[in-house]
């Protein structure tokens, strides 16, 4: 049986495929979410917002992962801010339009 993280990653890829998403965005402290999502080979790129440059470099080794290092220290409850930052990066590099 797959663990809960594995099941969530598979569901993310299935949802992205069925909705014809152009991008999957994940926030990660360790790179595990990005690695698990990449394992299921989504058709769209995975934008990874990492907290640490080493995590970002490691994520770059996985299929379809495009890591960006969030430039500010993590604070409690800042997930929305980091997500919006990731969306802005996606627009800057041409991965998302709106």
């Amino acid at each position: 049986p797959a663990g809960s993280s594995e099941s969530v990653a598979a569901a993310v890829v299935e949802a992205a495929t069925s909705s014809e998403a152009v991008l999957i965005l994940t926030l990660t402290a360790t790179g595990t979410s990005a690695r698990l999502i990449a394992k299921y080979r989504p058709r769209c790129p995975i934008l990874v917002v990492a907290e640490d440059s080493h995590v970002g470099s490691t994520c770059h080794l996985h299929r379809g992962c495009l890591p960006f290092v969030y430039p500010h220290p993590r604070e409690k409850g800042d997930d929305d801010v980091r997500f919006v930052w990731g969306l802005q990066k996606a627009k800057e590099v041409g991965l998302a339009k709106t």
Side-chain angles (χ1 to χ4, degrees):
S4 61
S5 296
E6 188 101 17
S7 298
V8 168
V12 164
V13 173
E14 186 176 328
T17 301
S18 66
S19 67
E20 298 179 3
V22 296
L23 179 70
I24 295 172
L25 193 151
T26 185
L27 308 176
T28 187
T30 62
T32 300
S33 61
R35 179 181 55 80
L36 289 174
I37 292 168
K39 176 181 175 180
Y40 290 98
R41 299 192 174 275
R43 294 180 178 175
C44 59
I46 306 161
L47 190 141
V48 181
V49 177
E51 296 178 14
D52 178 88
S53 61
H54 294 352
V55 171
S57 328
T58 303
C59 288
H60 200 54
L61 298 172
H62 299 291
R63 180 189 179 276
C65 289
L66 303 167
F68 290 87
V69 178
Y70 186 66
H72 308 289
R74 185 174 187 180
E75 295 178 17
K76 186 176 180 178
D78 74 342
D79 291 345
D80 290 343
V81 174
R82 290 186 299 133
F83 190 83
V84 168
W85 183 87
L87 285 176
Q88 290 171 341
K89 285 294 174 188
K91 290 176 189 175
E92 286 175 19
V93 298
L95 293 173
K97 293 180 183 175
T98 57

